[in-house]
Amino acid sequence: MALGKSIKMYLTIFVATTCMYMILYQYHISRQPMPQPEIIKPPLYIITPTYRRPEQLAELTRLGYTLKHVANLLWLVIEDANRTSEMVIQTLNRIGVPYEYFLAPMPEEYKSKKAKPRGVSNRNRGLSWLRENATEGVFYFADDDNTYDISIFEQMRYTKKVSMWPVGLVTKYGVSSPIVKNGKIVGFYDGWLGGRKYPVDMAGFAVSVRFLHERPKAKMPFKAGYEEDGFLKSLAPFENGEIELLANNCTEILTWHTQTKKNNAAEKLNMTKYGDTNLVFIDRALVRP
C-alpha cells in the first residue's frame, strides 16, 4: 500500500510539473513577436555600359561587389563590342549578382568623331530591354568607373517619376547637383552648363520604369556632352517640381565620379620564357596595344 501511494504521489508531481512547464512555454511563445511577411522591394535595374580596356575587369569587379549588397536587383551589363567577352562573362559569374549581358557597338558613323558619344548605344539597348521585359521598378545608369554608397540604391528604389541627387568629383566645382531652396529645385550647380536644361551627371538621377513606358520615344541622343540632358528632355512632359530630391534633400554626396586612372595596354608576354608558367593564364585577361 505504501509503495502504491508513493508511485501515485510521484505521478501526480510529474503531471503537475509537466503541466506547469507547458503553461510557461505557451506563455513564452505568446510573448514572441509574430513573424512578419517578407516585404518584396521594388526591383532595381542597373544599366552599366562597358568597353574593352585595361581597367574594365577591375571596375566591373568593384561595382559588382557593391551591387551585391543591394536586394532585388538586376544588372544590365552592355558592352560596346562586336563579340562577347569570355573574361567579362567569367567575372560576372564569379561576382554572383543577377545579370544580363548584351552587346551594343557604337554605330560606325560616330567612331570617327573627335568627341565620341560613348555609352549611348549601350544605354539605349538597356532601355529597349526594359521596354520589352520590365513593367515596374526603377532604372539607373551606373557607370563602372564610379563609386557608390549603397544607401543611394535603397533611396532611388521608390522613385515615382524622376529622382535626382548630387554627384561628387565632377568638373571644377567638385560636384554636380540640383540647387535646392526651401525644398524646391531652383537651378543646377555644375561646372559646365553648356546651354543644357538639365546640367546633371549621368550618376545623378534615376527613373521609374512605368514612367519610361509612358514615354515610348524616350532615348539618349548620340551627342557628346548632352547625353543626360537629351535623355531627360525626351521624358517630357514633366516639371522640376515633380523631381524627387534624394540624399537628404540633396545635402549629401552618395555617388562619386571617380574615374579610374588610365593604364597603358600590357606588353606582349614572352612565351619562350614564360610559356610554361601561370603567366599564360593571367595574360588572357590583359589588354594588348
Side-chain angles (χ1 to χ4, degrees):
M1 290 294 293
L3 179 61
K5 288 182 179 181
S6 297
I7 293 174
K8 186 176 181 180
M9 180 182 66
Y10 285 124
L11 285 174
T12 301
I13 294 172
F14 173 77
V15 171
T17 304
T18 302
C19 290
M20 183 173 62
Y21 277 118
M22 290 180 66
I23 292 170
L24 290 173
Y25 175 75
Q26 291 296 329
Y27 174 77
H28 174 73
I29 292 297
S30 68
R31 300 281 292 177
Q32 298 301 307
M34 292 293 292
Q36 298 298 316
E38 182 179 358
I39 299 175
I40 300 177
K41 298 180 178 181
L44 278 178
Y45 299 95
I46 306 302
I47 299 174
T48 298
T50 189
Y51 65 98
R52 182 73 168 149
R53 62 198 189 282
E55 307 82 26
Q56 182 187 34
L57 300 182
E59 293 181 329
L60 286 174
T61 297
R62 178 178 58 190
L63 174 56
Y65 280 103
T66 296
L67 299 179
K68 199 164 185 177
H69 293 278
V70 184
N72 200 12
L73 174 147
L74 182 64
W75 192 13
L76 305 179
V77 180
I78 308 168
E79 187 161 17
D80 183 349
N82 292 307
R83 58 188 180 90
T84 57
S85 165
E86 188 61 34
M87 294 304 300
V88 168
I89 294 172
Q90 288 179 9
T91 299
L92 297 177
N93 287 337
R94 182 171 64 249
I95 295 170
V97 173
Y99 75 89
E100 297 283 350
Y101 172 51
F102 309 110
L103 299 178
M106 181 187 297
E108 291 295 329
E109 61 191 282
Y110 299 108
K111 292 183 178 180
S112 59
K113 291 184 177 294
K114 184 176 180 180
K116 297 178 177 60
R118 294 190 180 277
V120 175
S121 58
N122 316 53
R123 297 185 184 98
N124 283 334
R125 177 66 181 87
L127 296 177
S128 297
W129 187 94
L130 289 173
R131 288 189 168 104
E132 295 170 2
N133 298 278
T135 57
E136 301 290 340
V138 169
F139 68 90
Y140 175 56
F141 299 120
D143 289 354
D144 55 10
D145 61 348
N146 290 344
T147 301
Y148 307 89
D149 185 308
I150 60 172
S151 67
I152 194 62
F153 296 104
E154 294 306 321
Q155 293 184 37
M156 74 173 71
R157 188 189 297 277
Y158 300 96
T159 299
K160 294 179 176 63
K161 292 183 178 179
V162 177
S163 58
M164 289 186 180
W165 56 88
V167 178
L169 302 178
V170 179
T171 73
K172 61 184 179 182
Y173 289 169
V175 66
S176 175
S177 174
I179 302 172
V180 181
K181 187 175 182 179
N182 298 323
K184 296 181 180 180
I185 294 180
V186 296
F188 293 91
Y189 186 79
D190 191 279
W192 178 68
L193 298 178
R196 295 180 293 167
K197 181 178 181 180
Y198 300 105
V200 299
D201 187 79
M202 194 71 71
F205 65 91
V207 181
S208 159
V209 170
R210 181 176 293 184
F211 192 62
L212 176 70
H213 279 297
E214 294 170 355
R215 272 77 178 157
K217 295 183 179 180
K219 64 179 181 179
M220 192 164 288
F222 284 91
K223 187 176 180 180
Y226 292 84
E227 295 92 335
E228 301 94 334
D229 183 56
F231 173 68
L232 288 169
K233 287 194 294 188
S234 76
L235 293 172
F238 76 96
E239 303 297 329
N240 283 0
E242 299 177 273
I243 297 173
E244 299 151 64
L245 304 176
L246 305 186
N248 196 15
N249 211 31
C250 291
T251 62
E252 300 174 345
I253 297 177
L254 300 175
T255 62
W256 294 266
H257 198 65
T258 39
Q259 296 180 306
T260 304
K261 178 184 75 69
K262 299 296 182 183
N263 293 272
N264 295 326
E267 295 183 0
K268 186 176 181 179
L269 183 67
N270 185 332
M271 296 300 292
T272 302
K273 188 173 183 180
Y274 302 111
D276 58 349
T277 73
N278 64 306
L279 298 183
V280 175
F281 298 94
I282 297 174
D283 185 68
R284 296 171 185 171
L286 304 180
V287 174
R288 300 295 175 204

